[in-house]
Amino acid sequence: MSRPDRLTKIMQTLQDGRLHTAQELADAFAVSPRTIYRDMDDLMASGLPAKGARGIGYQAQPVTTLPSLHLTDEEIEVLNLGLAIVSEAADPDLRRAATSLGAKLETALPQHATLDAQTWAYAASSFGDSARGLSHMPTLRAAIRAKQKLRITYHSKGDRITSRIIRPLKLEHWARVWVLTAWCETRNDFREFRVDLIQSAQAQPQMFVDEVGKTLDDMPSPQA
Amino acid sequence: MSRPDRLTKIMQTLQDGRLHTAQELADAFAVSPRTIYRDMDDLMASGLPAKGARGIGYQAQPVTTLPSLHLTDEEIEVLNLGLAIVSEAADPDLRRAATSLGAKLETALPQHATLDAQTWAYAASSFGDSARGLSHMPTLRAAIRAKQKLRITYHSKGDRITSRIIRPLKLEHWARVWVLTAWCETRNDFREFRVDLIQSAQAQPQMFVDEVGKTLDDMPSPQA
DNA sequence: GCGCAACTGACAATAACATGTCAGTTCGAT
DNA sequence: ATCGAACTGACATGTTATTGTCAGTTGCGC
């Protein structure tokens, strides 16, 4: 097995969340422990968030490798612009991810292409919760993909908070608001939810399958 | 010189916009033309937008290489989210760049991490100009960096369109609106411009240097 | 067509890299 | 402190990748 192949395999192996000793990995790939130590050096140097304590072993959180890309200046601009917008999100998790992604890009790109703290400064916005809904995006998106039902609490008209079980179908960006299209099991009809008005979203254990009348294709198109 | 080093140098060389023959490059790097042909194959295979016509030579548009990165799932999410938002911009150039960046990411990332046309569908927004101001962002940002004066036409209060020469200083994201802070030469004072109300922005040939009283540091902080 | 220069394929020589061995060194547990 | 296992540095050896040579092949201009 070639070295790149082995490095990939090691990464995948580490992402099971368990601890792996160098000796164990060496046996698994039929190389000497020395080679594993060298591999881990390289992996960590290239940013794999792996921890290794003496005598403990290695473990890593799930990561995806983005291979090297050639980007035009416009594409770099889009990258920075998108990052800047997301960085403004109120959700700590999202912001943390955006910050660490920004840091990685900053070290990876030549200076002229990176964010500049001065020119891209973000105001401590007094409308800090304007991007509040963004915090649910990963949950919603994952649920759409996995066809997993969701329980959401929603700030509907008239200041009432409602709780519903829905089948999430599609996320759309409409003007400046994200809209989640779903089949609402509580109302037994299609509904659209503004993401910024969703207070909480919890993936339910139940999955759903496409049923006639409840899929995106069955949705009546709005009249103009 | 190692092969990776040479490949990098070749890329930089090609980006001067002029034509370079294989022979010329071969001489410059003290290798045989055959090696250059092989290098160009690899570079183009990895996405360098270079053209080579028989007997003509090679040239490329400026690109930046993003080395391979290890990203966590959250960081991938931020990447996709930011891209989705920028994709909604009305400006054709920005949208084209976002699309091509999306395509690159899509091919580069394993399926589970990429955009999914169905779930991330973007509505052909009826508020299509909501992100209108984004189209000026690259111009503004470039001008800040280069300390280049700008002529802008601005949609100010009372439906009047004004034209001014400004020294752009800082871009801020305030709630959902981007704000450009600048020294306005027309009014001879600091001014803040909402980017979405800027109708046009043209970089002027004149540069500006920091002058006491006209830099960011000299700007009076707003009273609360 | 013909000539010429640009380009490609194949292969042996060679440079670069990866690996294992082994002799140290570090660090925690006793 | 002392032991032992985990780890690191150095170097010889094996393996892969890169390179130049050279003999084709392509495509353009005449």
Side-chain angles (χ1 to χ4, degrees):
Chain A
M1 184 187 298
S2 75
R3 185 152 201 265
D5 287 351
R6 192 182 56 240
L7 289 178
T8 308
K9 288 273 172 63
I10 289 179
M11 275 190 30
Q12 291 167 354
T13 305
L14 287 183
Q15 288 176 24
D16 63 4
R18 295 185 304 122
L19 281 168
H20 299 267
T21 63
Q23 186 62 55
E24 174 193 334
L25 291 170
D27 292 345
F29 295 105
V31 294
S32 75
R34 187 68 188 85
T35 300
I36 298 294
Y37 291 133
R38 274 189 285 247
D39 288 349
M40 292 310 302
D41 279 353
D42 286 1
L43 284 175
M44 294 195 210
S46 67
L48 180 81
K51 290 190 205 171
R54 179 170 285 268
I56 300 299
Y58 300 99
Q59 69 178 344
Q61 41 186 292
V63 296
T64 305
T65 298
L66 184 67
S68 67
L69 296 169
H70 294 302
L71 304 180
T72 66
D73 289 349
E74 289 76 27
E75 288 164 349
I76 296 278
E77 195 75 43
V78 167
L79 204 55
N80 282 331
L81 192 51
L83 189 57
I85 295 171
V86 177
S87 293
E88 195 247 356
D91 182 62
D93 288 337
L94 257 193
R95 189 152 45 193
R96 179 155 8 90
T99 305
S100 80
L101 176 57
K104 286 184 183 178
L105 290 177
E106 197 151 354
T107 57
L109 293 171
Q111 293 94 336
H112 78 271
T114 62
L115 287 171
D116 177 332
Q118 175 84 338
T119 57
W120 284 96
Y122 315 121
S125 169
S126 54
F127 298 85
D129 60 353
S130 67
R132 170 170 19 119
L134 288 181
S135 65
H136 301 307
M137 297 290 295
T139 309
L140 303 181
R141 192 160 129 65
I144 290 175
R145 221 186 263 288
K147 292 184 175 297
Q148 201 165 14
K149 294 187 185 177
L150 283 173
R151 168 178 295 283
I152 61 167
T153 55
Y154 188 74
H155 200 97
S156 55
K157 295 166 208 162
D159 275 338
R160 287 180 303 113
I161 306 286
T162 63
S163 172
R164 336 174 156 218
I165 299 286
I166 61 171
R167 304 178 172 203
L169 300 174
K170 183 169 74 161
L171 271 171
E172 280 179 311
H173 200 211
W174 194 266
R176 284 188 189 122
V177 180
W178 286 86
V179 174
L180 175 68
T181 303
W183 174 266
C184 177
E185 303 222 318
T186 310
R187 294 287 180 274
N188 215 45
D189 198 359
F190 290 103
R191 282 287 185 277
E192 296 191 330
F193 301 98
R194 277 179 50 186
V195 173
D196 61 333
L197 295 183
I198 293 177
Q199 291 218 319
S200 68
Q202 263 194 321
Q204 301 297 107
Q206 303 97 313
M207 304 292 166
F208 61 90
V209 291
D210 290 338
E211 280 174 49
V212 175
K214 300 185 181 178
T215 72
L216 262 188
D217 296 334
D218 300 314
M219 199 174 151
S221 47
Q223 304 305 320
Chain B
M1 184 187 297
S2 76
R3 185 153 200 265
D5 287 351
R6 191 182 56 241
L7 289 178
T8 308
K9 287 272 171 63
I10 289 179
M11 275 191 31
Q12 292 167 354
T13 306
L14 287 184
Q15 287 176 24
D16 62 5
R18 295 185 305 123
L19 282 168
H20 299 267
T21 64
Q23 185 63 55
E24 174 192 334
L25 292 170
D27 292 345
F29 295 106
V31 293
S32 75
R34 186 67 186 86
T35 300
I36 298 294
Y37 292 133
R38 274 190 285 248
D39 288 350
M40 292 310 302
D41 280 352
D42 286 1
L43 283 175
M44 293 193 214
S46 67
L48 180 80
K51 290 189 204 173
R54 180 169 283 270
I56 300 298
Y58 300 98
Q59 69 178 345
Q61 43 185 290
V63 296
T64 306
T65 298
L66 184 65
S68 67
L69 294 170
H70 295 301
L71 303 181
T72 66
D73 289 350
E74 288 76 27
E75 288 163 348
I76 296 279
E77 195 73 42
V78 167
L79 206 53
N80 282 331
L81 192 53
L83 190 57
I85 295 172
V86 177
S87 293
E88 194 246 358
D91 182 62
D93 288 337
L94 257 193
R95 189 151 45 193
R96 181 156 6 91
T99 305
S100 80
L101 177 57
K104 286 184 183 179
L105 291 177
E106 197 151 353
T107 57
L109 292 171
Q111 292 93 337
H112 79 271
T114 61
L115 286 171
D116 176 333
Q118 176 84 336
T119 57
W120 283 96
Y122 315 122
S125 170
S126 56
F127 298 86
D129 59 355
S130 67
R132 172 172 15 120
L134 288 181
S135 66
H136 302 307
M137 297 290 293
T139 308
L140 302 181
R141 193 161 129 64
I144 291 174
R145 220 187 263 288
K147 292 183 175 295
Q148 201 165 15
K149 293 187 186 179
L150 284 172
R151 168 177 295 283
I152 62 168
T153 55
Y154 188 73
H155 200 98
S156 55
K157 294 168 210 162
D159 275 338
R160 287 178 303 113
I161 306 286
T162 63
S163 172
R164 339 176 153 216
I165 299 287
I166 60 170
R167 304 178 171 202
L169 300 174
K170 183 169 74 162
L171 272 170
E172 278 179 313
H173 200 212
W174 194 267
R176 285 189 188 120
V177 180
W178 287 86
V179 174
L180 174 68
T181 304
W183 173 265
C184 177
E185 304 222 318
T186 310
R187 294 285 180 274
N188 216 45
D189 199 359
F190 291 103
R191 281 290 185 275
E192 296 192 328
F193 302 97
R194 279 179 49 186
V195 173
D196 61 333
L197 296 182
I198 293 178
Q199 291 219 318
S200 68
Q202 264 194 322
Q204 300 298 107
Q206 304 97 314
M207 304 292 164
F208 62 90
V209 291
D210 290 337
E211 278 175 49
V212 175
K214 300 184 181 178
T215 73
L216 262 189
D217 296 334
D218 299 315
M219 197 172 152
S221 47
Q223 304 305 320

